[in-house]
Amino acid sequence: MTTPENKTGQPLVHLGITRPEELSTLFAELRGRFDADCACAHDESSWKQFRDAWLGRKSGVLTQITENWLKPATLGLKRVVGASLNELRAHVESQIEARRIAIESRGEESSLLRERIDLSLPGVIRPIGSHHLIRQVFQEIEDIFVSIGFSVVEGPEIETPYYNFEALNIPEFHPVRDDMDTFYLELPPSSDKNAAPTPLLLRTHTSPMQIRTMEKQKPPVRVIVPGKVYRRDNPDATHSFAFHQIEGLAVGTDITFCDFTGTIEYFVKQFFGPSVKTRFRPSYFPFTEPSVEFDVSCPFCGGTGTSTASRSPMETSSGGTCSKCKGAAWIELFGAGMVDPAVYGFVNYDAKKVSGFAFGIGIDRLAMLKYGIDDIQVFFQNDVRFLRQFP
């Protein structure tokens, strides 16, 4: 606690006070110091020290004023000192009592609050969230590819037809666009009446980032592109208008189909386990040549097509045929291939000097296969009972 400056221990004459008008400044300063001390008295102990410092009979501030200022004061000052002292005493006593009442009131409130709270009750257990299964699969795939030198890049979900189609060697009216029917956005009119509006759409794949990345970066390029994509599919157990994909791209000098197959096989064995087998089937994609569909031996029946090798009864059908691969022993995973040289023309790459491969992996499909999920819709329904299975 602060103590008043030791002026009250000296006679007025020693303080240079000889005129009545000088006393008002002295008592105003003293009152200000009292108010500051009063604000610092927050509990019973500090209040008692504060009270004794000002009202103590032997060494209290008011006692010192009486002994050192009032009694030895000259006749011309005694009346003014007495009046000022009485006014200060009234203020000090009233504020000290008010502070006591306030402290006691707070103590009673705290006591009542402690009585109302039953500290023996168990605490509230708040559940800790976790990553969604799709996010977990994303992270697992990203870790695998990052470990072999790929980088992760992301791009916009709203795209232009140029990046989503034309620059990927899918010109307007190309029949493959029918399979990628998507959602086009209705834009507000432009302030420039002469400017042709730029159409926008929700991307149908993460492949546009192939072009955006190669526009900004010269070879070598090794990236994967995770993200959400959209197509006008009617929702059912295996289709959704919104789903997830990871696009992969590797471009450099002397990249061959063998490099491509080695990379994909490494990824699959890391993701599904070393016992799975892989195969390629010829296919067609506008932005790769040659193009392939990539299959993996069914991890649920061990590639036999029958239920005898299934991991659990939940993964089989009643007829002895594996319920996952329908007896085919193989499961189609994703499409891939060597980058079509025509694509390099859109990014000013020399097709005679560089080569590369690209692939597009459906994350929802991989998650369904790995964790035995038979309906893609559960990824979007936010059913806590489902989500709690994948902490």
Side-chain angles (χ1 to χ4, degrees):
M1 175 186 298
T2 58
T3 58
E5 186 176 347
N6 194 22
K7 290 184 178 181
T8 55
Q10 305 179 47
L12 293 176
V13 66
H14 291 173
L15 298 176
I17 305 298
T18 58
R19 293 178 298 170
E21 56 267 23
E22 294 175 336
L23 289 170
S24 60
T25 302
L26 188 62
F27 274 93
E29 178 185 348
L30 202 58
R31 182 165 177 161
R33 293 187 176 278
F34 167 80
D35 291 338
D37 285 353
C38 186
C40 295
H42 298 299
D43 52 35
E44 185 177 356
S45 175
S46 60
W47 175 84
K48 288 181 178 179
Q49 294 180 23
F50 163 65
R51 179 200 60 187
D52 294 343
W54 284 86
L55 297 179
R57 292 186 177 182
K58 292 185 177 180
S59 59
V61 173
L62 297 185
T63 300
Q64 293 184 26
I65 293 175
T66 301
E67 295 296 328
N68 299 320
W69 290 3
L70 179 61
K71 290 182 178 180
T74 61
L75 207 43
L77 294 178
K78 190 178 290 290
R79 182 178 60 83
V80 179
V81 172
S84 298
L85 176 59
N86 290 336
E87 183 179 347
L88 177 62
R89 185 186 301 276
H91 176 72
V92 167
E93 290 176 347
S94 64
Q95 291 300 311
I96 287 178
E97 179 64 15
R99 176 60 64 173
R100 181 190 66 79
I101 294 173
I103 292 174
E104 289 182 355
S105 176
R106 285 200 299 268
E108 291 175 358
E109 290 177 0
S110 299
S111 178
L112 290 174
L113 181 61
R114 285 194 296 270
E115 291 177 1
R116 288 197 300 267
I117 299 176
D118 186 353
L119 299 180
S120 66
L121 291 174
V124 177
I125 300 176
R126 303 191 181 277
I128 299 176
S130 61
H131 284 148
H132 191 280
L133 179 59
I134 293 295
R135 179 64 259 175
Q136 294 181 38
V137 175
F138 263 130
Q139 189 64 57
E140 185 175 357
I141 295 174
E142 289 172 7
D143 290 344
I144 293 172
F145 280 105
V146 168
S147 70
I148 55 176
F150 282 74
S151 300
V152 179
V153 298
E154 296 183 350
E157 294 182 12
I158 297 178
E159 272 292 4
T160 64
Y162 173 78
Y163 285 105
N164 199 77
F165 295 121
E166 279 88 352
L168 291 168
N169 202 31
I170 310 175
E172 192 174 5
F173 307 118
H174 194 289
V176 80
R177 287 205 187 189
D178 294 339
D179 298 330
M180 294 189 178
D181 197 12
T182 186
F183 301 94
Y184 285 82
L185 306 180
E186 184 176 353
L187 303 177
S190 173
S191 57
D192 186 357
K193 297 181 179 180
N194 297 323
T198 301
L200 296 176
L201 51 84
L202 297 181
R203 64 183 180 184
T204 61
H205 45 187
T206 53
S207 303
M209 281 305 295
Q210 287 189 30
I211 304 302
R212 292 184 177 274
T213 300
M214 289 190 288
E215 283 180 341
K216 298 177 181 179
Q217 180 178 342
K218 296 301 180 182
V221 175
R222 285 176 178 80
V223 296
I224 55 172
V225 189
K228 185 181 292 184
V229 298
Y230 306 85
R231 296 184 190 177
R232 290 185 57 189
D233 287 335
N234 292 323
D236 58 28
T238 57
H239 295 85
S240 173
F241 61 85
F243 54 100
H244 303 85
Q245 190 181 66
I246 280 188
E247 182 79 11
L249 174 69
V251 177
T253 57
D254 298 327
I255 292 182
T256 67
F257 196 84
C258 291
D259 299 317
F260 162 60
T261 57
T263 301
I264 298 302
E265 288 187 1
Y266 173 81
F267 159 69
V268 170
K269 291 182 183 295
Q270 289 292 313
F271 188 79
F272 285 107
S275 62
V276 298
K277 300 178 182 178
T278 60
R279 75 176 184 182
F280 296 95
R281 291 180 290 108
S283 186
Y284 169 75
F285 300 104
F287 40 88
T288 54
E289 179 60 37
S291 301
V292 296
E293 293 283 357
F294 186 81
D295 298 342
V296 62
S297 61
C298 179
F300 302 98
C301 66
T304 65
T306 63
S307 61
T308 56
S310 296
R311 294 180 178 177
S312 72
M314 295 294 291
E315 298 167 355
T316 66
S317 62
S318 58
T321 301
C322 176
S323 63
K324 299 301 181 182
C325 65
K326 305 297 188 294
W330 296 91
I331 294 179
E332 176 186 327
L333 284 188
F334 53 84
M338 302 299 290
V339 178
D340 193 311
V343 174
Y344 296 135
F346 291 95
V347 294
N348 295 321
Y349 278 20
D350 189 344
K352 296 181 180 180
K353 295 181 179 180
V354 298
S355 59
F357 60 83
F359 53 87
I361 303 174
I363 302 304
D364 310 73
R365 177 168 174 75
L366 260 63
M368 293 172 69
L369 289 173
K370 185 168 184 177
Y371 295 97
I373 299 168
D374 56 9
D375 189 348
I376 193 175
Q377 301 302 318
V378 298
F379 292 135
F380 307 98
Q381 291 170 349
N382 292 327
D383 190 329
V384 176
R385 294 171 298 177
F386 168 75
L387 298 176
R388 282 175 177 168
Q389 299 178 62
F390 311 99

